[in-house]
Amino acid sequence: MQIATDSPQALTAIRTDLGAIFVSMELSRSIWLITSLLPGSGEKLSKHVVRAGDIAGLMARFTQLRAKARARTGCSYPIIVIQEAGLDGFWIHRVLCKEGIESHVVDPASIATSRRRRRAKTDRIDGEALVRALLAHKRGEPRVCAMVRVPTPEEEDRRRICRERKVLLADRIRHVNRLKGLLFAQGVTGYQPLRRDRRERLEELMTGDGRPLPMHLKVQIGRELDRLELLLEQIRAVESERDTLLAAEPTAMPAPAAMLLDIKGIGPEFAAILWSEGLFRHFANRREVAAYAGLAPTPWQSGSVDREQGVSKAGNPRLRTALIQLAWLWIRNQPQSALTHWYQQRVRLNGGRLKKSTVVALARKLLVALWKYVTAGVIIEGVVMKAA
């Protein structure tokens, strides 16, 4: 078989006739590397550096790219930009959209890379890979990369309440453990720093060898209690703000957070996390729901080898953690539901083993059931609702 080689135009590996200027942005704290592909330039990629945060310089560079493409082809082309989701958040994407520029934010873990043990990685190589991924995405190639659904500023701001509370709880645990450790070194056990009479009980404590607490140790513990009480006050303020938000939620339609609160076993914290971290988004099917939470299965199949590697853990870790905690509580608070019966039957078939892996599967089923409940009003079979 012979291949014709007398074609008037040489075939290129990259299609550049998509009618746009494709630009990738490699972001860092000091510089932004701009990699661009202009129409009519073949496979040649141009690279320029802009100081980090310099939006005016970025727009000036885009103007130069448009002028260069117009001088080369005689036509005016739009600019399509791609960047990785990272520490810069979504403010650059919002600025570009406000300027009328088509912008995409990609999940960096979804871009295919070399599987060599020592693969080369530089901003230059990553910028070129982003441009190729953007080209393939605009050509309509499926599964070439995963574009991030950028939340609105209101959606992004709303989920800060639950995230701040989690940080404050972690700080509270550290302070409580530090207090108990200081006292344990003196032979004192049983002291509970979270009790309201913590300062009164501190005056009554004696060391293990019958001495009063040393002066400097008592002063240190007092300062530690000051920090702990400030944390407790901030936690109460955050929880009050969360409850106020949930109370205002029924004014919106279809009030999914309020619907979650109607189910026995789901309190304000779980309802806020489920809604702000995941269920506010639009999903096409149950597979997308499970994948977003990182609860989708990960098979390993090749020839006669067929094994399951567990859940992917590639989604929202906060939502996944909350769902697994809720799954354990669901068994206790909803013993007559169909999901609990399914869990108990699977555990019996396994001879009482594999409870942890089974509860992860229950968390996936529970997430899908709650998604159907808040979006389509499908009541979970056998679920008990709270009394009015």
Side-chain angles (χ1 to χ4, degrees):
M1 179 179 179
Q2 295 182 352
I3 300 177
T5 58
D6 56 350
S7 175
Q9 294 182 353
L11 297 177
T12 60
I14 301 178
R15 276 188 57 192
T16 60
D17 57 345
L18 297 178
I21 301 171
F22 294 93
V23 177
S24 71
M25 298 176 57
E26 270 293 311
L27 309 177
S28 68
R29 296 182 184 274
S30 56
I31 61 172
W32 292 348
L33 178 62
I34 311 302
T35 305
S36 59
L37 178 65
L38 293 119
S41 61
E43 300 182 11
K44 184 178 180 181
L45 297 173
S46 302
K47 297 176 179 62
H48 304 87
V49 173
V50 176
R51 184 168 53 87
D54 186 6
I55 294 297
L58 179 65
M59 294 303 166
R61 177 59 60 187
F62 287 168
T63 302
Q64 294 174 5
L65 292 176
R66 286 195 181 99
K68 189 175 181 180
R70 189 182 303 111
R72 179 175 295 173
T73 63
C75 301
S76 179
Y77 293 97
I79 293 180
I80 305 177
V81 182
I82 187 173
Q83 60 178 296
E84 294 179 346
L87 291 177
D88 290 274
F90 303 111
W91 73 271
I92 303 173
H93 167 81
R94 295 187 179 114
V95 169
L96 296 176
C97 292
K98 190 179 296 184
E99 295 292 334
I101 298 173
E102 182 180 346
S103 176
H104 298 274
V105 181
V106 65
D107 178 8
S110 67
I111 298 178
T113 58
S114 172
R115 295 191 296 176
R116 297 173 183 265
R117 183 176 180 182
R118 291 186 178 180
R119 67 178 181 91
K121 184 189 183 304
T122 63
D123 287 345
R124 180 188 181 95
I125 295 174
D126 291 345
E128 294 176 356
L130 282 177
V131 171
R132 289 194 294 270
L134 180 59
L135 281 167
H137 175 74
K138 296 302 292 185
R139 284 196 298 264
E141 295 184 17
R143 299 175 182 258
V144 66
C145 61
M147 295 298 181
V148 177
R149 177 196 177 276
V150 178
T152 64
E154 293 76 17
E155 293 171 345
E156 187 177 11
D157 188 60
R158 184 171 51 200
R159 61 191 182 191
R160 296 190 184 277
I161 299 177
C162 297
R163 296 185 178 185
E164 182 184 2
R165 182 179 181 273
K166 185 176 181 180
V167 172
L168 293 174
L169 289 179
D171 291 340
R172 187 189 71 180
I173 292 172
R174 281 194 292 267
H175 283 289
V176 170
N177 290 341
R178 188 177 298 119
L179 284 167
K180 291 184 176 180
L182 290 172
L183 292 173
F184 189 81
Q186 300 294 325
V188 180
T189 59
Y191 179 73
Q192 299 297 331
L194 294 180
R195 290 180 54 170
R196 294 185 178 180
D197 59 346
R198 48 185 166 268
R199 293 190 180 271
E200 291 78 4
R201 294 190 68 245
L202 181 63
E203 299 296 332
E204 304 170 356
L205 294 179
M206 303 290 290
T207 63
D209 53 355
R211 295 177 294 107
L213 290 179
M215 179 184 63
H216 296 299
L217 175 62
K218 185 179 291 186
V219 172
Q220 180 184 1
I221 293 176
R223 286 193 288 262
E224 196 71 39
L225 287 176
D226 292 340
R227 291 190 286 269
L228 177 61
E229 289 170 352
L230 175 61
L231 275 174
L232 294 176
E233 182 180 352
Q234 291 179 345
I235 291 173
R236 285 193 294 268
V238 170
E239 291 176 346
S240 176
E241 187 177 353
R242 177 203 63 196
D243 295 341
T244 302
L245 180 63
L246 291 176
E249 196 68 38
T251 60
M253 294 298 288
M259 294 173 64
L260 292 172
L261 284 173
D262 291 338
I263 300 177
K264 181 182 178 182
I266 298 182
E269 184 63 19
F270 277 127
I273 293 177
L274 291 174
W275 170 239
S276 63
E277 293 291 349
L279 295 181
F280 75 95
R281 300 169 61 95
H282 171 74
F283 298 102
N285 50 57
R286 57 186 177 86
R287 293 179 180 84
E288 290 187 4
V289 179
Y292 178 75
L295 293 172
T298 312
W300 182 279
Q301 296 179 355
S302 178
S304 60
V305 178
D306 186 358
R307 70 173 186 269
E308 180 59 49
Q309 302 178 100
V311 296
S312 65
K313 296 186 180 180
N316 190 319
R318 300 175 182 88
L319 179 61
R320 182 170 61 254
T321 300
L323 278 167
I324 294 176
Q325 294 173 351
L326 181 60
W328 286 111
L329 294 174
W330 185 270
I331 301 170
R332 179 190 306 173
N333 295 315
Q334 299 285 349
Q336 302 304 320
S337 67
L339 292 175
T340 303
H341 291 162
W342 175 87
Y343 169 81
Q344 293 171 346
Q345 182 181 6
R346 292 295 296 267
V347 171
R348 282 195 299 268
L349 290 175
N350 294 326
R353 297 176 294 107
L354 305 178
K355 289 185 178 181
K356 291 184 179 180
S357 57
T358 308
V359 87
V360 173
L362 174 63
R364 179 170 61 246
K365 286 180 170 291
L366 181 59
L367 174 60
V368 174
L370 292 175
W371 168 67
K372 293 180 179 179
Y373 170 65
V374 299
T375 56
V378 179
I379 302 297
I380 304 174
E381 183 179 353
V383 72
V384 178
M385 310 299 288
K386 293 179 183 176

